[in-house]
Amino acid sequence: GAGLTAPEATAVTMVVAGTWVLGLLALAGSLFLTRPLPAYLASRMPGATGRLTGAALLALVAAYLLLAAVRSGRPPRPGRFAARIPTLRLALAQIGASLGDWLCASATLYVLLSSVERVSFPDLLAAFCVAQTGGILLPVPGGLGVFEATILFLRPAGATGPGVLAALVAYRVLYYLDRKSTRLNSSHVA
């Protein structure tokens, strides 16, 4: 093992999950705030206002950064969960690293999908963000099925179901093999 106690392992897990979600919020918020929702997405999400949604998502990220700027390094109050607020610099690094991860993951799906369908990256990115959010919110391991169904439902106009499904299957295989090879390679480093 890594020599972590249960509370330390919980804290590490929460930091990783929080970093992952912050990056998704920043990416989706920036995307929805700066460009109108693609017509296919707006038509399938009645009442959804892209700019308002984007502003709300970015407000959550800004609140985290403000908290890091104001309260970083202060010890937690006794009797509360013992997690320290990171410095603003570390909070920005967390968001940057997570944004990079999300962009690489979405670019992977884009490359696979664009080989069989004609889609724009920003349009796919919008559907990708919504699908990832669904996968996070619904308690299915790895969002399996939720992510794929959402991408299929929100697929850009002109993209065929079979082409999108083929890209999604290839994406899952690559994603699984990449994670598995990373675990195998890291297990031999000792």
Side-chain angles (χ1 to χ4, degrees):
L4 298 176
T5 65
E8 290 169 336
T10 301
V12 168
T13 300
M14 289 187 70
V15 167
V16 170
T19 298
W20 193 59
V21 169
L22 280 166
L24 182 59
L25 292 175
L27 179 61
S30 300
L31 181 70
F32 295 154
L33 186 65
T34 60
R35 45 181 295 123
L37 285 177
Y40 71 90
L41 186 58
S43 69
R44 292 181 175 169
M45 294 172 55
T49 304
R51 293 190 198 289
L52 182 59
T53 302
L57 296 175
L58 289 176
L60 292 171
V61 175
Y64 175 72
L65 292 174
L66 180 63
L67 183 66
V70 173
R71 298 211 28 107
S72 71
R74 291 188 185 174
R77 294 182 188 156
R80 299 229 172 159
F81 182 73
R84 292 190 183 270
I85 306 296
T87 63
L88 180 59
R89 184 176 177 186
L90 181 56
L92 288 167
Q94 282 179 289
I95 293 168
S98 184
L99 277 170
D101 183 53
W102 285 116
L103 286 170
C104 287
S106 59
T108 301
L109 180 57
Y110 173 73
V111 167
L112 293 167
L113 185 56
S114 65
S115 70
V116 293
E117 298 289 341
R118 188 176 180 137
V119 295
S120 78
F121 183 66
D123 287 353
L124 177 65
L125 190 56
F128 184 87
C129 289
V130 172
Q132 286 293 349
T133 302
I136 291 169
L137 294 177
L138 296 172
V140 178
L144 191 60
V146 175
F147 174 76
E148 290 79 4
T150 306
I151 292 286
L152 280 167
F153 181 72
L154 297 177
R155 71 182 179 270
T160 65
V164 173
L165 187 58
L168 286 167
V169 169
Y171 175 78
R172 279 296 184 170
V173 168
L174 286 173
Y175 184 83
Y176 173 76
L177 290 177
D178 176 55
R179 299 296 186 235
K180 186 149 181 83
S181 69
T182 302
R183 281 194 306 269
L184 289 173
N185 289 334
S186 65
S187 69
H188 295 296
V189 178

